[in-house]
Amino acid sequence: MDRPRFMVMTYPAQGHINPALQFAKRLASIGADVTFVLPLSAYRRMAKGSGSEPEPGTPYGSAITFAPYSVDGYDDGFKRGGDMKHYSSEVKRCGSQSITDLVVSGQNDGRPYCCFVYTLLLPWAGNSAAELGLPSVMLWIQPATVFDVYYLYFNGYADIIKENMSKRQSHTKTTLPGLSLEFDRRDLPSFMDAEDAYSFILPHFQEQFDMISKQNHQRSILVNTFDELEVEALRAVSDLTLIGIGPLIPSAFLDENDPSDKSFGCDIFHGSEGNKYIDWLNSKPKTTVVYVSFGSILDWSKQQMEEIAKGLLSYGRPFLWVVREKRDKVENDKDCDEDNDELVSCREELEKLGMIVPWCSQLEVLSNESIGCFVTHCGWNSTLESLASGVPMVAFPKWSDQGTNAKLIEEEWKIGVRVKPNEDEIVESEEIRRCLELVMGKENEELRRNGKKWKDLAKGAVKEGGSSDKNLKSFVAQMNHIS
Ligand code: UDP
């Protein structure tokens, strides 16, 4: 029998490409063929990270084929100060054309696709595939809990949530059907807050959820989580089937089925600094180093960066800190300073104690024995990577799903401590030190025990016969059957 053929399309951001590519690798490992579709500019940056630019179409591993599509005028990527609206509409136009071309050529070759899988912020892609008669399924790359909250927001609970969010100083809790957690304003996805600088993103989510509601046939959503981690949230929305198929993390760090699978293969911002930091980490005793990183997008204001620096110096233990170059100013985002010159002062003093790098291979760092805790923005990939490595966290969220993830880390999974910002939304150095002492100190037994528990459960979920392995296999069988 022919191998089932899937098409996977991702939004071109690191936090989206990483899980999508890992999903493609999982499909390939259980006998499916996958065409991985993304803009040419993202594909080129990915390929640069791996040292050379493979020809489009070259198989990745045994069964993954890349199909980069050209976006008129943007093949070198989106430039600073460019017209975001125009860029997005071109991605949509060229991406939709690419889906059509691939579907038609699959049919002409007698190797049709059985399913189209797409990540966040691409609702038009699901529509394009559906119009061509190809079943389309979304791969949700945030926790199931966050999916539920958005779903409920767009299905009758917007007023309750908006009201809670507008009461800035109050401690009103929001309760939602199917979820036993009670949410403060800071625990809900920040785009739902009308005053948030990024609330303009909410309509994109609305489009996505409207599309899910309209679909009659395919009522399943693939979620980068696992049954044991979010038992309740995976069942909270009764008219949809949420399927836990994660954590989508390279095999070498989880089930070790494929020890060569060590990176996502797409470190878009990969630097040329090599991995001196791994030698440095190797020279440190077990669980003594603080790892600090805020993902691939988020910026902090200069004032916040100074507080982090002071906090690390005052705590006085070795640290590895990823300080990326800044991106453009975003209107109303007080953390995006236009002044890009010096991201942290006292660099010399800092470098006596720790190491500052512009990028690192995060999973290699988290799996290094020297790491004692992860100061993280709680991006969903970083959160899952920390859980799967058993590393306790100082949860330091800013926006999007990060506040909800921080709540889960602290209250549900009990593998971290959340920082408390002051009235001006700054987390002061003393607070950072307090959290580091809690997470790294002798009293952290419970956090470490839970770290071990989640690490074992994450590994168990993806290994043969584990919950995510079984869920994925039955999803593939179902899609193959439909086609
Ligand atoms: N990452 C990395 N090196 C770094 C910082 C981040 O490899 O120095 C990876 C990290 O392992 C994760 C992704 O980039 O897979 C960031 O995704 P996440 O969802 O945590 O945050 P986002 O960047 O989307 O805010």
Side-chain angles (χ1 to χ4, degrees):
M1 201 171 111
D2 273 351
R3 290 162 67 93
R5 197 173 191 203
F6 283 74
M7 195 188 305
V8 176
M9 184 180 248
T10 174
Y11 186 81
Q14 181 95 37
H16 298 229
I17 298 176
N18 283 5
L21 186 54
Q22 209 49 43
F23 175 71
K25 289 190 206 168
R26 288 276 167 78
L27 286 176
S29 76
I30 58 169
D33 285 338
V34 186
T35 302
F36 196 83
V37 193
L38 75 175
L40 181 59
S41 55
Y43 172 73
R44 282 185 176 151
R45 278 177 295 157
M46 255 171 85
K48 211 168 107 201
S50 64
S52 64
E53 184 174 330
E55 290 298 315
T58 303
Y60 182 93
S62 56
I64 303 177
T65 304
F66 282 110
Y69 61 91
S70 174
V71 182
D72 282 352
Y74 295 99
D75 283 347
D76 292 328
F78 178 71
K79 292 275 167 0
R80 280 162 184 263
D83 179 348
M84 192 56 177
K85 256 198 181 148
H86 182 253
Y87 171 68
S88 302
S89 78
E90 282 302 283
V91 168
K92 177 174 174 176
R93 187 177 66 78
C94 302
S96 302
Q97 186 58 49
S98 169
I99 296 170
T100 307
D101 294 346
L102 286 163
V103 169
V104 170
S105 78
Q107 280 159 351
N108 292 344
D109 298 347
R111 296 224 38 236
Y113 291 94
C114 71
C115 179
F116 176 77
V117 178
Y118 62 102
T119 61
L120 263 186
L121 301 177
L122 301 172
W124 50 266
N127 271 332
S128 300
E131 279 164 16
L132 293 160
L134 183 60
S136 66
V137 178
M138 188 184 185
L139 170 61
W140 181 259
I141 52 166
Q142 294 179 349
T145 308
V146 174
F147 180 92
D148 299 337
V149 175
Y150 274 112
Y151 184 87
L152 293 164
Y153 182 94
F154 294 121
N155 288 278
Y157 289 82
D159 289 344
I160 294 173
I161 292 177
K162 276 194 227 159
E163 201 192 328
N164 179 343
M165 289 212 127
S166 67
K167 292 182 195 151
R168 310 202 80 71
Q169 301 307 331
S170 101
H171 292 290
T172 321
K173 305 267 189 195
T174 304
T175 51
L176 294 166
L179 297 172
S180 48
L181 286 172
E182 297 187 329
F183 300 91
D184 270 342
R185 186 181 67 81
R186 63 180 196 151
D187 303 328
L188 291 160
S190 64
F191 303 149
M192 293 176 182
D193 180 353
E195 284 180 36
D196 187 86
Y198 296 87
S199 57
F200 63 87
I201 297 176
L202 193 64
H204 295 282
F205 279 84
Q206 166 128 39
E207 209 183 323
Q208 185 75 74
F209 280 82
D210 285 351
M211 205 198 107
I212 292 170
S213 299
K214 265 194 295 183
Q215 278 177 340
N216 295 325
H217 308 298
Q218 196 48 59
R219 308 291 293 165
S220 303
I221 308 287
L222 297 160
V223 188
N224 184 15
T225 188
F226 53 103
D227 291 359
E228 295 78 0
L229 189 66
E230 294 196 271
V231 184
E232 179 187 69
L234 281 163
R235 294 190 196 125
V237 174
S238 57
D239 50 351
L240 291 175
T241 307
L242 268 53
I243 311 174
I245 42 82
L248 294 169
I249 289 176
S251 171
F253 299 98
L254 268 178
D255 55 346
E256 293 168 33
N257 235 346
D258 176 5
S260 66
D261 180 21
K262 279 202 152 183
S263 80
F264 285 108
C266 58
D267 291 338
I268 288 186
F269 305 99
H270 198 83
S272 55
E273 65 283 353
N275 54 2
K276 260 194 263 162
Y277 55 89
I278 295 289
D279 295 338
W280 182 79
L281 290 176
N282 287 340
S283 74
K284 304 288 174 210
K286 225 172 153 181
T287 62
T288 55
V289 179
V290 176
Y291 171 53
V292 189
S293 174
F294 301 104
S296 63
I297 302 168
L298 187 157
D299 288 325
W300 291 117
S301 64
K302 184 137 178 79
Q303 188 188 358
Q304 183 62 82
M305 291 293 275
E306 292 299 324
E307 292 298 327
I308 297 168
K310 276 201 272 167
L312 289 171
L313 287 173
S314 122
Y315 181 58
R317 309 282 156 81
F319 61 83
L320 176 69
W321 185 6
V322 177
V323 179
R324 294 183 354 268
E325 279 176 23
K326 279 208 160 187
R327 66 193 155 84
D328 289 341
K329 167 112 183 115
V330 173
E331 215 181 326
N332 298 328
D333 183 347
K334 59 187 175 0
D335 287 337
C336 280
D337 294 335
E338 270 163 303
D339 162 19
N340 244 348
D341 299 344
E342 187 59 82
L343 296 172
V344 268
S345 59
C346 59
R347 199 166 177 126
E348 233 173 78
E349 211 185 325
L350 284 163
E351 285 180 334
K352 278 187 202 145
L353 187 62
M355 204 169 175
I356 299 179
V357 290
W359 188 253
C360 72
S361 167
Q362 181 158 296
L363 271 162
E364 267 190 79
V365 168
L366 286 172
S367 60
N368 192 288
E369 288 206 322
S370 65
I371 298 297
C373 101
F374 181 12
V375 179
T376 172
H377 70 311
C378 311
W380 184 234
N381 293 293
S382 294
T383 303
L384 272 181
E385 290 162 17
S386 207
L387 279 165
S389 310
V391 175
M393 289 168 260
V394 171
F396 203 131
K398 176 180 168 181
W399 66 331
S400 186
D401 57 333
Q402 295 156 16
T404 320
N405 304 346
K407 183 179 182 71
L408 292 165
I409 289 168
E410 186 176 56
E411 290 178 28
E412 187 87 345
W413 305 321
K414 300 188 170 45
I415 185 182
V417 169
R418 181 181 188 158
V419 296
K420 292 187 182 64
N422 66 16
E423 282 167 8
D424 301 321
E425 295 293 316
I426 294 289
V427 182
E428 292 170 13
S429 59
E430 272 314 300
E431 168 65 4
I432 296 170
R433 182 192 163 130
R434 180 189 76 86
C435 293
L436 284 171
E437 278 168 356
L438 274 176
V439 178
M440 294 282 282
K442 287 211 179 71
E443 317 77 49
N444 72 354
E445 267 315 299
E446 192 199 355
L447 297 180
R448 293 227 161 269
R449 240 192 346 267
N450 289 333
K452 162 109 182 49
K453 176 180 105 181
W454 292 118
K455 180 177 172 173
D456 292 345
L457 287 169
K459 279 180 198 274
V462 295
K463 75 170 197 234
E464 179 132 27
S467 58
S468 292
D469 178 62
K470 284 205 273 195
N471 289 346
L472 184 63
K473 284 177 180 155
S474 68
F475 168 73
V476 169
Q478 188 199 347
M479 296 322 293
N480 205 13
H481 179 70
I482 290 175
S483 71

